[in-house]
Amino acid sequence: MTQTCAIGLMSGTSMDGIDLAMLATDGENSVRRGPSFFVPYEAGFRRRIEAALEDARAIVSRDERPGDLAALEREITERHADAVARFLGEGVDGSGRPEIIGFHGQTVLHRPQAALTVQLGDGPLLASLTGRPVVYDMRANDMVLGGQGAPLVPAYHAALARSLPPEFAWKTPVAFVNIGGISNVTYVPADGDPVAFDSGPGNALIDQWVFREGGVPFDAGGAIASEGGVVDSVVAAYLTKPFFSRSGPKSLDRNDFTLAEAQGLELADGARTLAAVSAAAILEAAGNMPEPPKLWIVCGGGRKNPHIVGDLKTGAEKVGAEVILAEGAGLDGDAMEAEAWAYLAVRSLRRLPLTFPTTTGCREPVSGGLLASLEGGKS
């Protein structure tokens, strides 16, 4: 089948900036990965998004934009358009001419129990500003059919699993772990549809903790945590949350976990303990998989925290499994979500499923997304 060149845009729950990636794909098993790019948000804009999460609590229907949300949505869209221009200005057009953009937007509210998810991002405006058609709002149709609306990356994880280097090909089942603000896992069996769900907090609690207690936006390289120790009772308290006793598919809003259990800890102990919580939550996820994975592939910003990864490796080794970073499998752990949105945009164009009953709980495999054309329409 003919390949389509696409750009994927992702601004995730860590709210640190915009990831961009290009790939060519048929929307199925053929994936040719291209260049990637990152445009960071400055601290002031990140704080504005954090404030918007509070405004978003008042939303009861997807089109509402209370408080600053309408103005913020336009600015987020304009920033994405500027990011695309910078990306293409770096000479990446030589890798292929992008025919479509997959646009995630910025999630400010995710309430799967109410079939409500809101991502700030104006697809028609982005199409107008970039001069390319845009596929956006890819979560909503899944919810219409009873799904959680997340995670959406598993379809792409499954395609990557089918093209792993030979030295990893025998290590099935494989689990991909994306550690962003929230962590999610994708279990890819040797045959059949992937199984996926959010596994728990990723970087979000750590970021909130070090900002509140130390005035820094994140624990770069786990430096703060390296001065502290794990408080096991706090880890245990987090793991007693009802979320962990629920079977998948399941998904989280960024605000579903708080710092309450860590209250009273010293800065470094809190950072180290919350890293242990992130790793423990991921390992706990194996209990919701058809069988334990033999190989864990770690991607997302959290793979740069040596304490999360170290705890994962220690826990996996106890059951005979291996943990590697995405780069160890020839992949790009920073660009994978943006690549996924490019891949999903092509699947959307071809009306292929973006989600499955085993990944979001939808009643049947379902496609999704709206297409904003250059003529200003959407479909």
Side-chain angles (χ1 to χ4, degrees):
M1 185 179 288
T2 303
Q3 289 194 332
T4 299
C5 186
I7 292 176
L9 306 176
M10 167 57 69
S11 179
T13 51
S14 292
M15 303 181 296
D16 55 351
I18 303 167
D19 287 300
L20 305 90
M22 186 185 299
L23 57 74
T25 181
D26 62 359
E28 297 187 73
N29 295 329
S30 176
V31 176
R32 189 173 76 249
R33 296 170 44 248
S36 61
F37 195 60
F38 177 67
V39 178
Y41 287 149
E42 66 275 15
F45 190 68
R46 183 175 177 176
R47 287 195 293 271
R48 190 173 163 199
I49 298 174
E50 289 174 342
L53 300 180
E54 293 302 313
D55 289 338
R57 289 177 181 270
I59 293 175
V60 295
S61 67
R62 298 188 62 253
D63 295 331
E64 289 182 64
R65 296 294 185 267
D68 186 42
L69 293 185
L72 182 61
E73 181 166 51
R74 183 173 185 89
E75 184 168 349
I76 284 173
T77 305
E78 291 171 343
R79 283 172 176 257
H80 277 73
D82 290 343
V84 170
R86 288 177 59 184
F87 185 42
L88 296 178
E90 294 288 317
V92 299
D93 259 333
S95 301
R97 179 164 177 78
E99 302 168 55
I100 191 75
I101 293 174
F103 181 28
H104 179 268
Q106 181 67 56
T107 298
V108 292
L109 184 72
H110 187 71
R111 292 179 181 157
Q113 70 278 10
L116 179 62
T117 187
V118 178
Q119 287 74 44
L120 296 184
D122 186 330
L125 176 60
L126 185 65
S128 173
L129 292 173
T130 60
R132 287 174 171 81
V134 172
V135 177
Y136 67 106
D137 202 13
M138 291 192 226
R139 298 187 186 275
N141 202 39
D142 176 78
M143 285 187 158
V144 171
L145 287 180
Q148 297 268 320
L152 262 66
V153 180
Y156 183 55
H157 285 159
L160 292 178
R162 289 189 284 268
S163 59
L164 285 175
E167 62 266 33
F168 300 116
W170 65 272
K171 293 185 177 180
T172 55
V174 175
F176 283 81
V177 185
N178 178 62
I179 309 174
I182 292 167
S183 294
N184 55 69
V185 296
T186 301
Y187 169 94
V188 184
D191 298 294
D193 293 337
V195 174
F197 48 92
D198 285 350
S199 60
N203 299 318
L205 290 182
I206 303 169
D207 293 348
Q208 291 168 30
W209 176 261
V210 297
F211 182 75
R212 191 183 81 178
E213 302 294 322
V216 294
F218 60 95
D219 186 8
I224 295 172
S226 67
E227 301 293 325
V230 176
V231 180
D232 292 328
S233 61
V234 173
V235 177
Y238 274 105
L239 293 182
T240 62
K241 293 288 189 180
F243 174 81
F244 294 110
S245 62
R246 286 164 41 201
S247 59
K250 53 185 177 178
S251 62
L252 284 167
D253 182 80
R254 194 175 189 273
N255 294 314
D256 285 345
F257 284 83
T258 73
L259 296 175
E261 285 74 14
Q263 192 68 32
L265 296 184
E266 185 271 332
L267 170 63
D269 286 347
R272 181 64 186 91
T273 299
L274 292 170
V277 170
S278 297
I282 293 165
L283 293 167
E284 189 86 2
N288 282 322
M289 297 176 183
E291 61 180 287
K294 294 180 181 177
L295 176 68
W296 298 80
I297 299 176
V298 186
C299 53
R303 80 191 191 288
K304 298 176 183 177
N305 186 313
H307 309 290
I308 298 177
V309 175
D311 289 351
L312 272 176
K313 288 183 176 180
T314 299
E317 286 170 359
K318 292 178 180 177
V319 293
E322 181 179 1
V323 173
I324 63 171
L325 301 185
E327 288 72 15
L331 304 172
D332 186 335
D334 286 325
M336 197 176 294
E337 279 199 293
E339 290 172 0
W341 242 253
Y343 177 80
L344 292 171
V346 176
R347 285 184 73 86
S348 177
L349 287 178
R350 297 184 173 160
R351 299 292 187 264
L352 295 170
L354 307 187
T355 58
F356 305 86
T358 53
T359 60
T360 66
C362 53
R363 290 188 290 275
E364 60 189 53
V366 58
S367 190
L370 298 175
L371 174 63
S373 67
L374 298 183
E375 290 73 34
K378 64 182 182 180
S379 58

